[in-house]
Amino acid sequence: EFRWFVAGVDEGFTNPAVFIVFGVDADDRLHAMREFYKRQVQQADFVQEAADMTAEYGISTVYVDPSAAGLIAAMQTKGVPAIAADNAVYDGIQAVKGMLAIADDSRPRLTVDPSCVNLISEFGMYAWKERRTGQVDEPEKVNDHAMDATRYSVKSMAQAVTGSIFAWA
């Protein structure tokens, strides 16, 4: 049973438009439970899909790529509680990594439903750029759209609840 729901969004047209629903359970674990992942979707259709999923799940906050101001405004007009996400890339990746780590009870704090096939696929393809010096310090910007939506949700929620009961905050 989930106490509340949030979503993460990465805008796209040539790249996929992504909307991932996350449930927060009684143990404050985050569960990616449903995804919309589609290329060449018109913004109006994407906003309607977001509105439908928001109503279906009672989503309280939708974390959107902060560079997508027009999408945020369009979603808000349709009643979607969209806000600009925290887009700190490295910190967000570390937050997701921390959520995936096995907790003291032998379970991770972030799980992914098997139906979220694109998110699962992107987890497997996520790669870091390698510089000529051999240092690796930033992700490749390819096959990362569901990962970005996940990062926006995890990092923004962690920032919003700092000092709360959330173990991952």
Side-chain angles (χ1 to χ4, degrees):
E1 186 173 320
F2 296 107
R3 297 182 324 158
W4 76 85
F5 299 90
V6 299
V9 170
D10 195 37
E11 183 177 40
F13 182 78
T14 302
N15 290 317
V18 179
F19 188 100
I20 300 179
V21 177
F22 295 92
V24 179
D25 70 13
D27 198 24
D28 293 331
R29 284 183 159 77
L30 199 61
H31 304 275
M33 50 190 302
R34 185 167 166 199
E35 68 178 10
F36 175 88
Y37 188 102
K38 188 174 179 181
R39 295 178 193 282
Q40 298 187 337
V41 63
Q42 297 293 324
Q43 185 180 55
D45 296 333
F46 184 58
V47 169
Q48 185 60 55
E49 185 69 30
D52 292 346
M53 290 172 80
T54 296
E56 179 180 348
Y57 289 95
I59 294 171
S60 61
T61 308
V62 176
Y63 299 104
V64 183
D65 181 342
S67 68
L71 177 60
I72 292 169
M75 287 181 160
Q76 290 172 342
T77 298
K78 282 290 242 179
V80 176
I83 63 170
D86 182 333
N87 193 21
V89 177
Y90 184 79
D91 290 346
I93 290 168
Q94 295 308 309
V96 171
K97 183 178 174 182
M99 294 283 291
L100 291 169
I102 302 300
D104 291 340
D105 63 0
S106 302
R107 295 172 34 218
R109 303 218 50 88
L110 170 64
T111 60
V112 180
D113 187 274
S115 68
C116 297
V117 295
N118 296 291
L119 177 56
I120 292 167
S121 177
E122 286 188 11
F123 266 113
M125 292 186 287
Y126 206 70
W128 291 85
K129 289 182 183 177
E130 190 166 330
R131 301 195 184 273
R132 285 183 233 179
T133 62
Q135 288 182 315
V136 177
D137 61 2
E138 64 181 299
E140 294 280 352
K141 290 302 299 167
V142 62
N143 299 319
D144 66 346
H145 310 289
M147 295 298 294
D148 284 350
T150 300
R151 178 172 52 85
Y152 299 147
S153 296
V154 170
K155 177 66 173 118
S156 297
M157 285 185 67
Q159 183 178 18
V161 298
T162 298
S164 77
I165 61 169
F166 283 87
W168 49 267

